[in-house]
Amino acid sequence: MLNFHPNVTQPSQAALERALLLLHRALGPSKVLSARESCEVYSHDDSEAEGRMPDAVVLASSAEDIATTLRIAEETAVPVTPRGGGTGRVGGAVPSAGGIVLSTLGMKQVKEIDRRELLAVVEPGLVLADLHAAVEAEGLFYPPDANSLLACAIGGNVATNARGPRAFKYGVTRNYVLGVEATLIGGRSFFAGRRTTKGVTGYDVTSLLVGSEGTLAVFGDITLRLIAKPESVMTLMALFPNIQASCRAVESIIVMGLVPRCIELLDHGTLEAVRRAGNALNAQAGAMLLMEVDGPGLEVERQAARVGELCDEAGALEVLVAQDAGQRDRLWAARREMSPAVRRMAKHKLSEDVVVPRGKIAELLLRVARTGERLQLRNVTYGHAGDGNLHVNFLWDDESEVPRVEQGIEQLFRDVVELRGTLSGEHGVGLMKAPYLHLEQSETLIELQRGLKNVFDPHQLLNPGKIFSADRSHGAC
Amino acid sequence: MLNFHPNVTQPSQAALERALLLLHRALGPSKVLSARESCEVYSHDDSEAEGRMPDAVVLASSAEDIATTLRIAEETAVPVTPRGGGTGRVGGAVPSAGGIVLSTLGMKQVKEIDRRELLAVVEPGLVLADLHAAVEAEGLFYPPDANSLLACAIGGNVATNARGPRAFKYGVTRNYVLGVEATLIGGRSFFAGRRTTKGVTGYDVTSLLVGSEGTLAVFGDITLRLIAKPESVMTLMALFPNIQASCRAVESIIVMGLVPRCIELLDHGTLEAVRRAGNALNAQAGAMLLMEVDGPGLEVERQAARVGELCDEAGALEVLVAQDAGQRDRLWAARREMSPAVRRMAKHKLSEDVVVPRGKIAELLLRVARTGERLQLRNVTYGHAGDGNLHVNFLWDDESEVPRVEQGIEQLFRDVVELRGTLSGEHGVGLMKAPYLHLEQSETLIELQRGLKNVFDPHQLLNPGKIFSADRSHGAC
């Protein structure tokens, strides 16, 4: 664990007691947790960031509950940390100042799916996989597919502008949010956006809310754009002797105008972890691409064949095409096993989620390897090669290695910025990348963003310490 | 002409003289116009809004010129109206307070087209058709295709989040802007966004700038996402006895999961105008759909055939499929002739650009017909049916009709909001829709947007009177 103690003001004991009293009175005891053992799970998310214990957890079941909580929070000056599925990787849902955690995970209703208007209206606590199932049952498709889809909630997806493998073809959550009910600190609610795909009245407040990591407003009903479900999908796996060859294949696929819905890359170290987990992969393979092509049946076959040829031309050792669902599942096995397999390689793992222009993937991996050698730091990388989005994992067993991990992270970020990339492709800034934001963004841009934050939350009560916090102290693991 | 005199503060004569002196000194006489005859063209755009004569026009040829102008404007407290191609339809480029018009139309360079990264970096004055030509020469594609593409500039496209017929399949300008160099009033510049398609560091300032109608910052270099050029395109025209039948066709095309890149609708009155312009159309036809399907060759043929069948099933009188470029051109003739043909029907024409859920198109047209009868107001409608985006044109010859036109507009907007649509699909708010914004948006949302404006432009010097102006007085036509 890494401790992040951003420079946030903690509420006074009197304020907390008053907030708790008012919350109990307004919402009843079943919706307000305050016992340490029930609050504990809300003190962290799926990141290495350690937060503070929340003083109260509100389990909202309606828009009114959200508004009531945000009204009481403002009245008592107690900070609020909104929370969805708690699957975030950068501490975005960690209550860095204690106070109230506001969970919307209990609001799971699919309120509307409209085949004619190609939209859905859903509550923020709906789990992504359940959204997928509901819309696919109607012959429709919601493309974003964060890897945590079995646990992450759509509200959190919107808060982080979540994405996943299919983003290469289909884009990200922001591209699918038509409108959102939002409640400000203080309890005022408003609807931003619209139900139509087009619309240009005023500023795009909806896009500003998407990806704002719970720092501007708390989401209620979310109106999502849907598309037609693709007729058919084909999965291909290609093994290459090294990263360079796999990058050549990605490049020619893109330059030829082909658009697989995903192009996943696994590096040498990741393949080694997968092999150790019992998956018998070609021993010569130093890189893998796992790809999916979707669309109308015949066209999918044609595209898959072309993708396979381009992999061959780039020097693939072998290319496998799944002929049925069982084979498809086996091809994805390596990808699925990857994360737990990597986790088993060391006591601690920190996965950084960087993006570089896709022509710079090989260069970045070379630099990471050099940093690893210099700092004696184990690392493996996998990611979404179509978007240049790589998860660079640093591994360590002993506390004494932490300073080197920190150096490795900073070197990685500096390399990414130098290669004209960005610090986060899909996890966000949260607590953990806040100290590094200035590496990528200018003072002017950061100052403007602080100004935007102040418009929505002038007293810094909503998810304090996130995105912009500059303070960081390193703790034990 | 309709006069819009929003409640904006005009600069003092002394301030104007000082600004002019400083601009001349800093930029030289060739870049600063102040003679009435050279400024006149910058007092209006392609809308019915009449503005004030600018006191100076700066013809910027570099980012430095933009920064210098915005520095001097802040120093002297003289308002600035940024301007691209001047093709806007709601008075967004009209200098409502006089002052300085800042034209970036001279900055036309294509700085970079990268086939591997699928991006282009261009200056803001580049004309949209020239951008299309440049990227298509590289086998790439920039989908947004505003109808004014021969004259509109990409900077204005970004400022208005411009779109066009192809938006149904490909989305709008915002979906293609990766990053933008922007300069604030006062002259400070910053880069928002990135060069990679993914990235979630901080708030989406880029999306906020896109569609901000020149009220937040002035754009320099723009980084655009490109896609592969579609292999092939097919054009179909279907004639229907009435709007209802054409709407049934649109609905079944969408419900069947087909995605033509455009579905253009022409109503009875529009077809009548086109007939009068000499285009021999089936006399029974009361509605037309003009559609394009694109993608890989075989798939396009299959989709076009299916679209044609669905039109037949919905009751089409005839369906024509273009077999070559010449035929394709002839099918588009009606659409091309439409706007001038409608213009010839009366001395004055005001085209409102509303959106309703696509299932409500027929209902809206029925309401518009009723309003027309009640107010004795001629009207014709065409638009992008796939998106529910309709251009409702009110026609009149005599000044005495203006109060009825105004009533017609307000009734239209009320109907649109009641049908859960939006006041503008692609033209924006500018001067002309500012008085109606409150019909669609809540006070809370408008207040938040004013707050965002203040972060970027606390002294209200950048494009004053746009989007939020509440004052309106009606003038002569």
Side-chain angles (χ1 to χ4, degrees):
Chain A
M1 280 268 176
L2 301 174
N3 289 330
F4 288 82
H5 296 301
N7 190 13
V8 291
T9 316
Q10 284 182 72
S12 70
Q13 196 53 37
L16 286 170
E17 280 167 19
R18 187 154 168 258
L20 203 55
L21 182 78
L22 291 172
L23 287 171
H24 264 122
R25 203 179 282 164
L27 300 171
S30 68
K31 290 182 180 173
V32 186
L33 314 177
S34 56
R36 199 182 162 83
E37 59 279 16
S38 26
C39 287
E40 204 283 326
V41 66
Y42 297 93
S43 71
H44 52 81
D45 59 8
D46 196 19
S47 74
E48 295 77 5
E50 199 180 3
R52 292 201 165 77
M53 187 65 68
D55 299 284
V57 175
V58 172
L59 307 175
S61 67
S62 69
E64 291 69 37
D65 291 350
I66 296 174
T68 300
T69 306
L70 294 173
R71 179 177 54 73
I72 292 171
E74 194 187 55
E75 269 175 39
T76 55
V78 167
V80 175
T81 302
R83 184 183 177 96
T87 57
R89 309 299 299 271
V90 290
V94 164
S96 59
I100 303 164
V101 166
L102 172 53
S103 168
T104 56
L105 198 60
M107 299 168 66
K108 292 181 178 302
Q109 215 186 320
V110 177
K111 292 195 159 176
E112 186 182 349
I113 295 179
D114 190 325
R115 288 183 62 194
R116 194 159 67 168
E117 304 300 339
L118 298 176
L119 63 80
V121 180
V122 302
E123 288 190 324
L126 183 67
V127 167
L128 181 58
D130 295 336
L131 170 65
H132 284 164
V135 304
E136 287 174 33
E138 298 286 328
L140 296 169
F141 193 54
Y142 176 74
D145 61 335
N147 279 336
S148 53
L149 57 89
L150 294 175
C152 65
I154 187 69
N157 279 217
V158 174
T160 56
N161 188 21
R163 30 199 91 188
R166 294 178 198 152
F168 177 57
K169 176 168 181 176
Y170 289 110
V172 300
T173 301
R174 183 176 284 116
N175 305 132
Y176 296 89
V177 180
L178 293 172
V180 62
E181 289 283 352
T183 305
L184 299 169
I185 189 84
R188 272 194 306 164
S189 296
F190 64 98
F191 176 71
R194 46 194 66 81
R195 281 172 67 90
T196 55
T197 46
K198 275 177 142 185
V200 286
T201 41
Y203 301 141
D204 191 355
V205 175
T206 315
S207 286
L208 185 63
L209 292 173
V210 179
S212 62
E213 303 192 30
T215 64
L216 300 182
V218 179
F219 304 143
D221 287 355
I222 296 162
T223 305
L224 296 168
R225 180 169 80 89
L226 305 175
I227 61 173
K229 192 174 162 187
E231 261 176 44
S232 123
V233 183
M234 278 183 88
T235 304
L236 295 94
M237 184 192 76
L239 292 169
F240 298 85
N242 50 49
I243 280 287
Q244 286 72 19
S246 66
C247 288
R248 278 199 305 274
V250 173
E251 191 175 317
S252 36
I253 289 166
I254 288 167
V255 170
M256 294 306 290
L258 297 163
V259 190
R261 72 178 186 184
C262 50
I263 310 179
E264 299 288 293
L265 171 72
L266 282 68
D267 82 342
H268 186 266
T270 312
L271 293 184
E272 197 47 48
V274 170
R275 279 190 200 99
R276 278 194 225 160
N279 197 317
L281 286 172
N282 185 323
Q284 315 275 294
M288 177 197 284
L289 291 180
L290 188 64
M291 293 161 289
E292 285 197 340
V293 181
D294 72 358
L298 281 176
E299 183 48 30
V300 165
E301 283 180 29
R302 193 186 71 108
Q303 283 218 18
R306 195 75 192 98
V307 166
E309 282 164 25
L310 293 170
C311 288
D312 280 336
E313 284 168 24
L317 301 169
E318 52 181 308
V319 178
L320 296 174
V321 182
Q323 302 298 332
D324 56 41
Q327 286 187 8
R328 191 177 162 214
D329 210 49
R330 279 195 291 286
L331 291 190
W332 275 101
R335 175 73 176 79
R336 257 202 323 274
E337 286 158 11
M338 183 183 73
S339 192
V342 170
R343 249 180 225 275
R344 279 196 294 274
M345 289 172 71
K347 270 196 204 156
H348 302 283
K349 177 186 98 144
L350 192 139
S351 174
E352 288 298 353
D353 150 55
V354 297
V355 187
V356 288
R358 57 180 85 83
K360 300 290 183 193
I361 292 175
E363 167 72 18
L364 183 74
L365 290 182
L366 195 70
R367 292 191 186 199
V368 170
R370 268 195 228 127
T371 303
E373 275 170 40
R374 182 168 58 85
L375 298 171
Q376 293 290 307
L377 200 54
R378 278 178 295 162
N379 60 80
V380 305
T381 296
Y382 47 82
H384 317 301
D387 299 303
N389 185 193
L390 299 171
H391 298 298
V392 179
N393 294 265
F394 293 109
L395 305 167
W396 71 102
D397 289 304
D398 195 84
E399 261 183 53
S400 66
E401 297 176 74
V402 171
R404 284 184 282 129
V405 174
E406 306 280 357
Q407 284 176 57
I409 294 171
E410 180 153 348
Q411 184 60 53
L412 172 66
F413 289 163
R414 290 191 183 277
D415 285 332
V416 162
V417 170
E418 202 176 297
L419 294 172
R420 307 180 79 175
T422 176
L423 302 190
S424 178
E426 51 190 16
H427 295 168
V429 176
L431 277 178
M432 299 190 56
K433 290 190 178 177
Y436 304 105
L437 190 62
H438 69 278
L439 292 181
E440 178 181 336
Q441 297 190 345
S442 65
E443 249 178 67
T444 302
L445 181 57
I446 293 175
E447 193 188 304
L448 282 171
Q449 292 177 83
R450 285 187 190 272
L452 300 178
K453 163 77 174 170
N454 287 338
V455 171
F456 287 78
D457 178 24
H459 306 300
Q460 314 297 313
L461 289 171
L462 203 52
N463 215 0
K466 310 301 164 68
I467 305 181
F468 305 114
S469 126
D471 247 54
R472 181 179 177 181
S473 64
H474 309 312
C477 297
Chain B
M1 277 272 175
L2 301 173
N3 289 329
F4 288 80
H5 295 302
N7 189 13
V8 292
T9 315
Q10 283 182 72
S12 71
Q13 197 52 39
L16 286 170
E17 279 167 21
R18 187 154 167 258
L20 203 57
L21 183 77
L22 291 173
L23 287 171
H24 264 123
R25 206 181 279 163
L27 301 171
S30 67
K31 290 182 181 173
V32 186
L33 314 177
S34 55
R36 199 180 162 85
E37 59 278 14
S38 25
C39 287
E40 204 285 324
V41 67
Y42 298 92
S43 70
H44 53 82
D45 60 9
D46 197 18
S47 74
E48 295 77 5
E50 200 180 3
R52 292 202 167 76
M53 186 65 68
D55 299 285
V57 175
V58 172
L59 308 174
S61 66
S62 69
E64 291 68 37
D65 291 349
I66 295 174
T68 301
T69 307
L70 293 173
R71 179 178 52 73
I72 292 171
E74 193 186 56
E75 270 175 38
T76 55
V78 166
V80 175
T81 303
R83 185 183 177 95
T87 57
R89 308 299 298 272
V90 289
V94 164
S96 59
I100 303 163
V101 166
L102 172 52
S103 168
T104 57
L105 198 59
M107 299 168 67
K108 292 180 180 300
Q109 217 185 318
V110 177
K111 291 193 160 176
E112 186 181 350
I113 295 180
D114 190 325
R115 288 182 62 192
R116 194 159 65 168
E117 303 300 338
L118 299 175
L119 65 79
V121 180
V122 303
E123 288 189 323
L126 183 66
V127 168
L128 180 57
D130 295 337
L131 170 64
H132 284 162
V135 304
E136 287 175 32
E138 298 286 326
L140 297 169
F141 194 53
Y142 177 75
D145 61 336
N147 279 336
S148 54
L149 57 89
L150 294 175
C152 66
I154 188 68
N157 279 218
V158 174
T160 56
N161 189 20
R163 28 198 93 186
R166 293 178 199 152
F168 176 58
K169 175 166 181 177
Y170 289 110
V172 300
T173 301
R174 184 175 285 115
N175 305 130
Y176 296 89
V177 180
L178 293 173
V180 62
E181 289 282 352
T183 306
L184 299 168
I185 191 81
R188 272 195 305 166
S189 296
F190 64 98
F191 177 70
R194 45 194 65 84
R195 281 173 66 92
T196 55
T197 46
K198 276 177 141 187
V200 286
T201 41
Y203 301 142
D204 190 356
V205 174
T206 316
S207 286
L208 185 63
L209 292 172
V210 178
S212 62
E213 303 194 30
T215 64
L216 300 182
V218 179
F219 305 143
D221 287 355
I222 296 163
T223 305
L224 296 168
R225 179 170 80 90
L226 305 174
I227 61 173
K229 192 174 161 187
E231 259 177 45
S232 125
V233 184
M234 278 183 88
T235 304
L236 295 94
M237 185 191 75
L239 291 170
F240 298 86
N242 51 48
I243 281 287
Q244 286 72 19
S246 66
C247 287
R248 279 199 302 275
V250 173
E251 193 175 315
S252 36
I253 289 166
I254 288 168
V255 170
M256 294 305 291
L258 297 164
V259 190
R261 73 176 185 186
C262 50
I263 310 180
E264 299 289 293
L265 171 73
L266 282 68
D267 83 343
H268 186 266
T270 312
L271 293 185
E272 199 45 48
V274 170
R275 279 190 199 99
R276 278 195 227 161
N279 197 319
L281 287 173
N282 186 323
Q284 316 274 295
M288 176 196 284
L289 292 179
L290 189 65
M291 292 162 288
E292 284 197 341
V293 182
D294 72 358
L298 280 176
E299 183 48 29
V300 165
E301 283 180 31
R302 191 184 72 108
Q303 284 219 16
R306 195 74 193 99
V307 165
E309 282 164 25
L310 292 170
C311 289
D312 281 336
E313 284 168 24
L317 300 169
E318 52 181 307
V319 179
L320 296 174
V321 182
Q323 302 299 333
D324 56 40
Q327 285 186 9
R328 190 179 161 214
D329 210 48
R330 280 196 291 286
L331 292 189
W332 275 100
R335 175 74 177 78
R336 258 202 321 273
E337 285 156 13
M338 185 183 71
S339 191
V342 170
R343 250 179 224 275
R344 278 195 295 275
M345 288 172 72
K347 270 196 203 156
H348 302 284
K349 177 186 98 144
L350 192 139
S351 174
E352 288 299 354
D353 149 55
V354 296
V355 187
V356 289
R358 56 180 86 84
K360 301 290 184 193
I361 293 175
E363 166 72 16
L364 183 75
L365 290 181
L366 195 70
R367 292 190 185 200
V368 169
R370 269 194 227 127
T371 303
E373 275 169 40
R374 181 167 61 83
L375 298 170
Q376 293 290 303
L377 200 55
R378 278 177 295 161
N379 60 80
V380 305
T381 296
Y382 46 81
H384 317 301
D387 300 304
N389 185 193
L390 299 172
H391 299 296
V392 179
N393 294 265
F394 293 111
L395 305 167
W396 72 100
D397 287 306
D398 194 85
E399 259 184 52
S400 65
E401 297 177 74
V402 171
R404 285 184 281 130
V405 174
E406 306 281 356
Q407 285 176 56
I409 294 171
E410 182 153 347
Q411 184 59 53
L412 171 68
F413 289 162
R414 290 191 183 279
D415 285 330
V416 161
V417 170
E418 204 175 295
L419 295 171
R420 307 181 78 176
T422 175
L423 302 189
S424 179
E426 51 189 16
H427 294 167
V429 176
L431 277 179
M432 299 189 58
K433 290 190 177 176
Y436 303 105
L437 189 62
H438 69 281
L439 292 181
E440 178 179 335
Q441 297 189 346
S442 65
E443 250 179 68
T444 303
L445 180 57
I446 294 175
E447 193 188 303
L448 283 171
Q449 292 178 82
R450 284 187 191 273
L452 301 178
K453 163 76 174 171
N454 286 340
V455 171
F456 287 79
D457 177 24
H459 306 300
Q460 313 297 313
L461 288 171
L462 203 53
N463 216 1
K466 309 301 164 67
I467 305 181
F468 305 113
S469 126
D471 248 52
R472 181 179 177 182
S473 64
H474 309 311
C477 297

